[in-house]
Amino acid sequence: MMTDTTTSANSLPILHHRKKYEYIPLTDQPRHLEVFSIRLIHLLPSTDRASPLRCQLVEISIPDYIALTKSHLSLPSPRPEHDYQALSYTWGDPVFPETLEVVSHTPSTDSIRDASTVRTGLDSGPVALGVIEITQNLHSALQCLRRDDETLLLWVDAVCINQADVLERNISDFLDENKGAVINSFLERPWFRRRWIIQEVVLARSVFVHCGAWCIPWRIFESAMIQLSGHMGAFNPDHRTMIHAIILMRTNMGVKRQLPMETLLEYSSFLCADPRDRLYALYGVMQRWFPGGESNRTRNQTGTINYALSTEDVFTNFAIMMIELDMPLENSLKKGAITRYKAVTHVLQLATAFGHQDKSDKNQLGGKLPSWVVDWTGTLRFKPLNHSPTRRDASLGVPVERVIAMPSKDGMRYLIVVGIPFDAIIATVPLDIAALLINDEMYEAKRELSHFLGRIAECSAKVCFPCGKDGNTYTPAKQHLVMAVAISIVASWQHTPAGSYFGRNPRSLNNFLEQLERCQYYLPDMLQSYPAYVELVKITMRGRCLFLTGKGFMGIAAAGAEPGDIVTVLSDINNPFIIRPSMKPTEERIINKMAGGNALGLFGSCWDGSPVQEKAESIHLDLENPSSSTSRFKLISDAYVHGLMHGEAWQLMSNEHLNGVKVFPI
């Protein structure tokens, strides 16, 4: 049945009854052809922006690249007539106030110059087949994209897929996965994981990407990666990291400034055959991006390539160079920031975060490296705390002394540092992050957090953790114990993403804490209202545990921390660190010492105030003596200690009139 039409003053035919377009089923392609069918929109041109949208829906067959790859068949080059653009847009509410008119596809339509020439009668020319109802958002997009004098080929899910056909929608979902698989397959090519490409791309004057018969400039390739970055859910974590890294390679060319260890972190997923190339392959990039990198001094900070050195020596020498760097950036990396970049803090944090204690990983160097040297072949086990926090420094008041690297007879090097052995861990409490990672399962997150709080209560009772007269007070901060836990497991919001709820709203942190107080400190009940808090806990507590100390402090550290480990505040290092003596005392002895309020006699040798540089040789000789009682220490983790992040350690030691500064060979 044909629909009656009227011609308006501007000669555009108007449909009276808005007949809905009836889709023609897609061709069921034989499997052996390794192709599948899709529809494309041929959006007809118009010089009048206000004219109705008209198109042809044309079925085409395109290669199934995944099937061809699995069959080891050659991949055909795309045909020019299949060169279409896929429109990505937001559907919005399921309201369809606008229409897209579909007209017949006949040979005569190839010569159509304007959509207004389409007729709806039986005379020659294309025939109006009906309309497809579309959202206002899609209508606006198509109006903007429509060209004046040529047909535009598009793929739009709402139109090219028959939304009323459940089977077709299911097949289309498979095709979407198939297209995602094509991109994932492309990103699996070894070139994308090759560590040396970073330097080749960053330092080249111009870059082109070749793949088969295709060649595109890097800027086009980068634009494609930027578009893909908006659909990260379709990719696995490795591919998401890779896409992000590719986007950053030539961004802000000539003005990008980045610290060496940040560059190494950014490209840690890229591989190389020789472990020494974990550093060597990025030396040129690190020098190019180094803040103030035009000076010879800073250009030489990364060292030189020397394959005569062992991997352990390469990694250790680099760590020493970074420690000696300790440059006061006031701060060119973060606008408005005035904090000094302390490379020592960053080196020690990354050394523990990459964790060469994990001997199950055959790719890691295991015990061949000192605990303070980063094993760049390892995997980042947890996110380091902010190494240069604004207006926060746990070491405030502690006398400033240099860190000295010394050799030893066994070929290992160690650091000599001074600091306060403030406290000792008496209990650790794990948090099951896996329960928090289940999507849309807030019940699991609430249940695990309830169990976690229960385990803290059990540990507190077992080790006689001081909790005030009411049993619920966190004494160092004079607040409810659950409030202290809530703040500690997000490290006082140190890892808050800029675009998250807590990052956008300055009042959100106070709102959360006020709500926690109104809820009688029952933290699990608040998770439903604060999913951003759950996300922050996931980021902060991955690879970490909560610990309790003998003096009544709590904090978070690496999951490998144990009772008997020492909470230290080291000279001129922002965050507290957990260290382990080679002769660790028993848990019972620690608790007995803590009952007297002092564990300082257990650990380290007293520092007499003389420069460490002058005492380094005597300390070195003492350590080399087999009969020496001097302990060496192993670096375990950086730490957040609630109530000990702003110089309180030095204040408390001064109040107790104790000479608390010790010398630690690590």
Side-chain angles (χ1 to χ4, degrees):
M1 180 182 75
M2 298 302 299
T3 304
D4 294 335
T5 63
T6 301
T7 302
S8 66
N10 59 2
S11 300
L12 295 178
I14 301 172
L15 287 170
H16 280 177
H17 302 295
R18 295 168 61 94
K19 173 188 173 184
K20 293 190 70 171
Y21 172 72
E22 295 182 6
Y23 282 88
I24 301 172
L26 290 169
T27 304
D28 188 10
Q29 299 286 354
R31 183 170 295 181
H32 71 276
L33 293 180
E34 308 291 10
V35 298
F36 56 86
S37 295
I38 64 170
R39 298 184 187 91
L40 291 182
I41 296 173
H42 288 223
L43 187 62
L44 301 180
S46 177
T47 55
D48 182 2
R49 180 177 173 81
S51 66
L53 293 172
R54 290 192 172 89
C55 75
Q56 301 158 350
L57 278 184
V58 180
E59 179 181 332
I60 65 167
S61 298
I62 61 175
D64 184 342
Y65 287 96
I66 293 297
L68 290 169
T69 301
K70 289 179 179 179
S71 303
H72 304 289
L73 300 175
S74 59
L75 303 181
S77 298
R79 294 162 56 184
E81 63 268 27
H82 295 172
D83 189 10
Y84 64 90
Q85 301 175 49
L87 177 62
S88 176
Y89 67 102
T90 303
W91 275 53
D93 295 330
V95 179
F96 309 95
E98 304 293 344
T99 59
L100 171 64
E101 186 176 345
V102 183
V103 301
S104 62
H105 179 64
T106 67
S108 62
T109 60
D110 294 338
S111 61
I112 290 178
R113 301 299 301 169
D114 193 288
S116 62
T117 64
V118 175
R119 300 187 181 184
T120 57
L122 294 174
D123 48 350
S124 62
V127 176
L129 301 177
V131 296
I132 297 174
E133 295 176 340
I134 60 176
T135 64
Q136 180 64 58
N137 197 21
L138 176 54
H139 184 269
S140 299
L142 293 177
Q143 274 191 323
C144 291
L145 292 171
R146 181 169 55 179
R147 295 172 178 168
D148 293 342
D149 55 2
E150 61 179 344
T151 299
L152 176 64
L153 271 63
L154 294 170
W155 185 89
V156 182
D157 54 359
V159 177
C160 296
I161 300 169
N162 182 1
Q163 300 297 320
D165 188 331
V166 175
L167 179 60
E168 187 172 310
R169 286 173 60 186
N170 290 342
I171 294 173
S172 297
D173 288 341
F174 168 77
L175 295 181
D176 282 342
E177 293 174 4
N178 199 18
K179 287 181 289 184
V182 170
I183 297 170
N184 276 297
S185 178
F186 177 65
L187 293 174
E188 283 294 335
R189 290 171 178 261
W191 184 86
F192 286 105
R193 295 179 175 273
R194 182 172 171 264
R195 202 170 184 84
W196 281 100
I197 73 163
I198 304 162
Q199 181 166 283
E200 294 163 358
V201 170
V202 170
L203 302 183
R205 183 173 299 175
S206 60
V207 181
F208 291 82
V209 179
H210 291 262
C211 184
W214 291 90
C215 173
I216 59 173
W218 181 268
R219 59 182 177 80
I220 303 298
F221 179 64
E222 182 185 279
S223 296
M225 293 297 107
I226 292 172
Q227 291 297 320
L228 290 176
S229 68
H231 304 277
M232 285 301 197
F235 303 100
N236 64 41
D238 286 344
H239 291 163
R240 289 197 290 269
T241 301
M242 191 182 304
I243 290 170
H244 178 71
I246 288 171
I247 291 171
L248 295 176
M249 282 185 189
R250 290 180 68 86
T251 301
N252 299 325
M253 287 295 293
V255 297
K256 182 171 182 176
R257 293 292 177 260
Q258 185 165 278
L259 293 162
M261 285 181 290
E262 297 291 357
T263 300
L264 288 166
L265 282 174
E266 190 168 275
Y267 296 104
S268 61
S269 63
F270 287 70
L271 306 177
C272 54
D274 189 324
R276 291 169 291 191
D277 288 340
R278 301 290 297 183
L279 295 180
Y280 288 166
L282 291 175
Y283 272 5
V285 178
M286 288 188 277
Q287 291 167 0
R288 168 68 67 85
W289 289 344
F290 201 98
E294 296 306 314
S295 72
N296 291 328
R297 182 183 70 83
T298 53
R299 283 192 178 278
N300 293 329
Q301 282 296 335
T302 55
T304 56
I305 295 175
N306 181 1
Y307 285 103
L309 297 175
S310 68
T311 301
E312 299 86 74
D313 283 341
V314 172
F315 287 4
T316 303
N317 291 344
F318 181 78
I320 292 173
M321 280 189 289
M322 291 299 101
I323 286 173
E324 292 176 348
L325 175 64
D326 200 20
M327 61 187 296
L329 304 174
E330 295 288 345
N331 187 324
S332 60
L333 300 180
K334 298 177 181 178
K335 291 182 178 179
I338 58 173
T339 54
R340 172 169 141 252
Y341 170 68
K342 297 182 180 179
V344 179
T345 305
H346 205 184
V347 170
L348 301 188
Q349 286 183 308
L350 292 178
T352 61
F354 274 90
H356 27 83
Q357 293 93 350
D358 185 4
K359 297 180 181 178
S360 63
D361 189 343
K362 295 180 180 179
N363 294 322
Q364 291 185 282
L365 297 176
K368 295 182 180 180
L369 285 174
S371 63
W372 54 271
V373 174
V374 186
D375 180 2
W376 295 105
T377 65
T379 303
L380 201 67
R381 297 182 303 155
F382 53 81
K383 187 177 178 64
L385 298 167
N386 187 346
H387 56 264
S388 296
T390 305
R391 297 185 300 278
R392 288 199 300 271
D393 190 337
S395 69
L396 288 175
V398 179
V400 177
E401 271 296 315
R402 286 186 59 196
V403 173
I404 306 295
M406 297 290 292
S408 64
K409 286 182 180 178
D410 58 9
M412 299 278 279
R413 295 186 185 179
Y414 53 87
L415 288 185
I416 299 176
V417 298
V418 299
I420 300 173
F422 182 78
D423 211 343
I425 295 176
I426 57 174
T428 60
V429 186
L431 174 63
D432 183 8
I433 291 298
L436 276 62
L437 296 177
I438 303 174
N439 291 331
D440 301 322
E441 284 291 343
M442 192 59 69
Y443 171 76
E444 292 293 334
K446 290 172 66 175
R447 185 172 68 171
E448 169 52 26
L449 195 54
S450 294
H451 291 167
F452 176 64
L453 293 173
R455 291 193 293 270
I456 294 174
E458 291 173 5
C459 281
S460 298
K462 179 182 176 182
V463 300
C464 301
F465 184 70
C467 298
K469 293 182 180 179
D470 61 357
N472 289 319
T473 300
Y474 183 68
T475 308
K478 296 181 176 57
Q479 61 189 183
H480 195 279
L481 189 63
V482 174
M483 181 78 78
V485 172
I487 296 172
S488 295
I489 60 177
V490 294
S492 193
W493 283 270
Q494 278 200 36
H495 297 311
T496 304
S500 69
Y501 168 74
F502 290 114
R504 293 193 312 265
N505 184 355
R507 276 280 305 163
S508 58
L509 306 184
N510 290 333
N511 292 343
F512 176 85
L513 298 177
E514 290 168 4
Q515 179 68 21
L516 180 58
E517 187 174 2
R518 286 197 297 270
C519 288
Q520 302 297 308
Y521 303 102
Y522 195 65
L523 183 60
D525 271 1
M526 293 182 55
L527 301 189
Q528 200 76 42
S529 302
Y530 289 92
Y533 180 76
V534 179
E535 293 299 318
L536 192 52
V537 173
K538 293 178 192 177
I539 295 171
T540 308
M541 291 299 292
R542 181 176 68 89
R544 292 187 183 270
C545 69
L546 182 133
F547 63 79
L548 306 176
T549 75
K551 288 186 177 180
F553 285 81
M554 73 167 58
I556 60 172
E562 301 173 354
D565 291 342
I566 314 166
V567 179
T568 58
V569 178
L570 302 176
S571 173
D572 205 27
I573 292 175
N574 298 82
N575 299 303
F577 271 82
I578 308 300
I579 62 175
R580 181 174 297 163
S582 55
M583 299 179 64
K584 188 167 65 170
T586 63
E587 183 177 344
E588 182 180 2
R589 187 179 174 209
I590 295 170
I591 294 173
N592 290 337
K593 275 284 184 181
M594 288 301 160
N598 180 20
L600 299 180
L602 288 175
F603 314 118
S605 55
C606 286
W607 178 59
D608 60 9
S610 60
V612 173
Q613 180 71 48
E614 296 177 5
K615 299 200 64 170
E617 189 60 34
S618 62
I619 295 171
H620 168 62
L621 293 173
D622 189 29
L623 287 171
E624 295 293 297
N625 183 356
S627 62
S628 171
S629 60
T630 302
S631 283
R632 288 181 64 172
F633 297 83
K634 184 177 184 179
L635 201 63
I636 302 299
S637 170
D638 64 352
Y640 170 84
V641 186
H642 192 49
L644 206 67
M645 303 302 292
H646 300 82
E648 295 92 340
W650 180 254
Q651 293 175 348
L652 291 169
M653 298 306 299
S654 299
N655 292 340
E656 295 174 8
H657 305 290
L658 295 171
N659 180 16
V661 182
K662 305 287 183 177
V663 180
F664 300 104
I666 297 177

